[in-house]
Amino acid sequence: MTAALAPTAWAALSRAHEERADALTAGHRARRATGERHAIDDFLYDYYGTRPAVLRRWHPGVGVGLEPGPHGAAPHRQWRWYATDPHGTVRLDVAAFLADRADSVRFIRRLLSAISSRPAFTGCFGLHEWAMVYRQREHRHPLPLRLGQEGTDTVVESHQIRCTHFDAFRFFTPDAVGRNLLQPTRESQVELDQPGCLHASMDCHKWATKLGPTVAGELALDCFELARDIRLLDMRASPYDFSSYGQPAVAIETPEGKAEYVARQRQFAARAGRLRSRLIEVCDTVLDPDR
């Protein structure tokens, strides 16, 4: 038996969620209307396929029903994977969701649990972004390199690169691939992803999105906001010059920059760890609703 929210309660939660989502995506939506690109924020929408309209759609989460109001059942009754009982209460149809997404839920739980079981490694210093431009004259972002190409290459060559995340490693330049201590693959993701990795923490948003309506709105936006905050550090610590965006560099080529990066990395790891635990709990509830 699920808990149920009165119509006044779920309507207020839905409005608050929409307002928060709109505030988080306001810049992107304004730029999209004019065709303007943003080298920091666009990543969340391009790489993750994030859609503001989907992000602002509030879900109560698995285990929570929505009682009918004066105008009938909640609008969720028309949404995929929801069912309405004879009393008009709408709730997630877990069986229907699992029929379509059981394999994904099991994988997400396995990956997040594996990450949570490991200590955070904080000695990478964001060098994955530097490895993505190593010995390359053409770069993904139309921004200058802070140290120029030669200076950037020197930073890469003077450090041991230890990137554990395949979805960062796969963008390394050909000359940088062999410089990585590890050779991550999609198949080794569960064995290698670790909680200190900025990209693994950003991926909380990815997994929350894939879990769809099973994730309560607040948790979904918490994961998105974390990804947005991490992306900013990721770019500030990159070899690109973001001064045109008003963003000072975290100069990881210096001892001071490394210290700043590691301090922020640890903060994000702790924040992601809490969200990861909540996502694991969602997976557990979906896979065993009667537990």
Side-chain angles (χ1 to χ4, degrees), residues 28 37 40-51 132 140 165-171 186 189 193 198-200 202-207 209-210 227 231 234:
H28 170 74
R37 300 291 296 170
I40 301 174
D41 286 351
D42 284 346
F43 175 82
L44 299 176
Y45 302 93
D46 295 342
Y47 178 77
Y48 287 118
T50 302
R51 293 163 54 198
M132 293 178 192
R140 288 183 301 155
H165 192 65
F166 173 70
D167 283 315
F169 178 68
R170 66 191 177 97
F171 292 107
R186 179 67 67 204
Q189 184 173 10
D193 266 6
L198 292 190
H199 280 257
M202 274 196 287
D203 278 354
C204 285
H205 168 55
K206 174 181 180 179
W207 306 126
T209 300
K210 287 187 176 295
R231 173 63 177 175
D234 202 31

Side-chain angles (χ1 to χ4, degrees), residues 55-73:
L55 199 65
R56 84 188 299 268
R57 176 174 283 193
W58 176 77
H59 295 280
V62 63
V64 180
L66 306 177
E67 294 178 350
H71 303 293

Side-chain angles (χ1 to χ4, degrees), residues 26 80 211 222 249 262 264 273 279:
R80 187 180 183 187
L211 290 169
D222 285 350
V262 169
R264 296 292 308 283
L279 291 173

Side-chain angles (χ1 to χ4, degrees), residues 56-228:
R56 84 188 299 268
R57 176 174 283 193
W58 176 77
H59 295 280
V62 63
V64 180
L66 306 177
E67 294 178 350
H71 303 293
H76 301 63
R77 69 188 183 279
Q78 298 177 335
W79 299 357
R80 187 180 183 187
W81 296 310
Y82 280 91
T84 307
D85 70 16
H87 303 289
T89 296
V90 180
R91 55 175 54 85
L92 181 70
D93 186 337
V94 175
F97 183 80
L98 283 177
D100 293 336
R101 298 288 178 87
D103 288 344
S104 292
V105 176
R106 293 190 186 98
F107 171 77
I108 292 168
R109 191 200 183 284
R110 186 161 64 96
L111 175 62
L112 297 184
S113 297
I115 295 172
S116 296
S117 72
R118 301 185 178 115
F121 174 74
T122 57
C124 63
F125 305 124
L127 284 162
H128 56 277
E129 287 290 337
W130 298 69
M132 293 178 192
V133 299
Y134 180 61
R135 292 185 178 176
Q136 287 278 351
R137 299 298 167 181
E138 296 184 3
H139 310 132
R140 288 183 301 155
H141 301 303
L143 293 168
L145 300 179
R146 289 192 295 108
L147 306 180
Q149 187 65 57
E150 184 177 349
T152 299
D153 294 346
T154 298
V155 170
V156 173
E157 291 163 0
S158 63
H159 289 79
Q160 172 65 73
I161 304 177
R162 189 185 183 278
C163 179
T164 55
H165 192 65
F166 173 70
D167 283 315
F169 178 68
R170 66 191 177 97
F171 292 107
F172 280 27
T173 67
D175 287 336
V177 168
R179 304 191 69 89
N180 197 35
L181 184 64
L182 304 167
Q183 297 293 300
T185 63
R186 179 67 67 204
E187 292 71 26
S188 66
Q189 184 173 10
V190 174
E191 286 70 40
L192 291 182
D193 266 6
Q194 52 87 20
C197 172
L198 292 190
H199 280 257
S201 292
M202 274 196 287
D203 278 354
C204 285
H205 168 55
K206 174 181 180 179
W207 306 126
T209 300
K210 287 187 176 295
L211 290 169
T214 69
V215 175
E218 180 185 14
L219 176 54
L221 292 186
D222 285 350
C223 290
F224 176 76
E225 194 164 10
L226 172 67
R228 194 182 70 158

Side-chain angles (χ1 to χ4, degrees), residues 38-41 125-130 141 143-144 146-147 198 202 228-254 256-258 260-261 264-265 267-268:
H38 195 287
I40 301 174
D41 286 351
F125 305 124
L127 284 162
H128 56 277
E129 287 290 337
W130 298 69
H141 301 303
L143 293 168
R146 289 192 295 108
L147 306 180
L198 292 190
M202 274 196 287
R228 194 182 70 158
D229 292 347
I230 291 176
R231 173 63 177 175
L232 178 57
L233 175 63
D234 202 31
M235 290 296 93
R236 287 181 59 205
S238 78
Y240 293 103
D241 182 353
F242 277 96
S243 60
S244 60
Y245 284 77
Q247 295 296 338
V250 176
I252 58 91
E253 69 274 13
T254 69
E256 296 78 13
K258 283 183 173 66
E260 181 181 356
Y261 184 88
R264 296 292 308 283
Q265 186 179 24
Q267 292 170 356
F268 284 133

